Amino acid sequence: MPRHEFESRAIFRENVQLELLLRTLVIACVYAITAKLSLVFTTLPGQVTAVWFPSGFAFAFVIWFGRWALPGIALGSIVFMVWNSLTMTLPWSAASDIISIIACSLASSLEPVIGVVIIYWLTHAPPSLDRTKAAISCIVAAVLASMFSALIGITVSSLVGIVPWSNYGISLLMW
């Protein structure tokens, strides 16, 4: 292989890696900022909110970028949760906070993947809003995927003492 061809491949690899890094950071920033904005709608103990903007963005990012969006979503979730922990006086332990950060990051990353899988399963096609069946499948996927995420988030939050068990049902419904 000629030297110039080897060098151009190395430069291409560096550009791809830089693009992936920048994309991850942008996704993480969008996720963390929209999560912080969502706290305006907090109504229940444990920072449970009725509106969670990052879910829609995460879903769109996974549709656009596929699996390459997941590190940004996970990082954004972690950044938000740490940011939230540092800016608030929380009545639960640091261990509870760390466990919930890991669980919520996992749930936040899996939610859009599950949504896309449901859309493929229902339509046998990539996510799209150009047909009625596809649009309905997106709505069904958003509801079912967010239920999965809520189940993980609220269950772990209750297990570690962040959300009282007496609020489990309403918190799950709200999330």
Side-chain angles (χ1 to χ4, degrees), residues 107-122:
S108 297
S109 299
L110 287 176
E111 180 182 342
V113 172
I114 290 169
V116 170
V117 167
I118 290 170
I119 291 170
Y120 274 108
W121 181 68
L122 292 173

Side-chain angles (χ1 to χ4, degrees), residues 8 12-13 32-33 38 40 58 71 74 79 87 116 130 132-133 167:
S8 69
F12 176 75
R13 255 185 265 119
I33 290 167
S38 295
V40 171
V79 166
T87 59
V116 170
D130 62 346
T132 303
K133 182 179 178 181
N167 289 349

Side-chain angles (χ1 to χ4, degrees), residues 14-158:
E14 287 176 14
N15 288 341
V16 168
Q17 290 172 344
L18 181 61
E19 181 183 334
L20 288 173
L21 176 64
L22 289 174
R23 182 182 303 154
T24 297
L25 293 175
V26 167
I27 291 171
C29 287
V30 168
Y31 192 98
I33 290 167
T34 58
K36 195 68 170 171
L37 290 173
S38 295
L39 290 184
V40 171
F41 301 98
T42 299
T43 58
L44 294 171
Q47 298 296 307
V48 176
T49 179
V51 178
W52 193 247
F53 299 122
S55 288
F57 284 103
F59 195 55
F61 289 141
V62 168
I63 289 170
W64 290 332
F65 305 121
R67 69 175 188 228
W68 301 108
L70 298 178
I73 294 167
L75 179 61
S77 178
I78 291 168
V79 166
F80 161 71
M81 298 284 285
V82 169
W83 179 14
N84 200 37
S85 295
L86 294 175
T87 59
M88 299 178 70
T89 304
L90 304 175
W92 51 82
S93 70
S96 294
D97 210 27
I98 291 169
I99 292 169
S100 74
I101 288 170
I102 293 167
C104 287
S105 175
L106 180 66
S108 297
S109 299
L110 287 176
E111 180 182 342
V113 172
I114 290 169
V116 170
V117 167
I118 290 170
I119 291 170
Y120 274 108
W121 181 68
L122 292 173
T123 65
H124 306 291
S128 169
L129 298 175
D130 62 346
R131 298 178 323 276
T132 303
K133 182 179 178 181
I136 291 171
S137 72
C138 285
I139 294 168
V140 169
V143 170
L144 293 177
S146 64
M147 288 170 56
F148 170 80
S149 177
L151 185 64
I152 290 175
I154 293 298
T155 301
V156 169
S157 294
S158 292

